[in-house]
Amino acid sequence: MKCPYCGNDMEKGYINSRDSVVWRKKKSVAAAFDGLASDAVNIGTRKPLGESYVVVYRCADCQKFLIDTENGNHTD
């Protein structure tokens, strides 16, 4: 994948968590309960043993990270 900011190649990797990987509008004080918040958007894949991950592409040149929540996060 090419970086949309600088055009260089991006490296595929993962953000791993023992809980849900969620996006929220604001920072929370208790991340353990973020998945229960009304504004929480789940961006990860949850496995049977509870671990969660999201596929992320990293540009080593401009230090940008790209998460594609539509493609690739439910098949790895």
Side-chain angles (χ1 to χ4, degrees):
M1 175 177 286
K2 295 290 185 185
C3 177
Y5 294 92
C6 70
N8 290 322
D9 288 331
M10 299 185 85
E11 179 179 26
K12 181 180 177 180
Y14 303 87
I15 293 176
N16 301 292
S17 174
R18 68 174 185 187
D19 298 313
S20 298
V21 179
V22 299
W23 176 90
R24 294 202 50 210
K25 292 180 184 179
K26 58 184 178 179
K27 187 168 67 170
S28 67
V29 294
F33 301 110
D34 273 350
L36 302 175
S38 62
D39 67 338
V41 176
N42 185 9
I43 60 170
T45 297
R46 192 153 195 140
K47 293 291 186 179
L49 295 176
E51 73 270 14
S52 186
Y53 69 90
V54 63
V55 177
V56 179
Y57 293 87
R58 180 182 77 94
C59 178
D61 295 311
C62 66
Q63 296 300 309
K64 302 290 186 195
F65 291 84
L66 181 66
I67 299 172
D68 184 352
T69 60
E70 186 175 9
N71 299 308
N73 278 318
H74 303 286
T75 59
D76 283 3

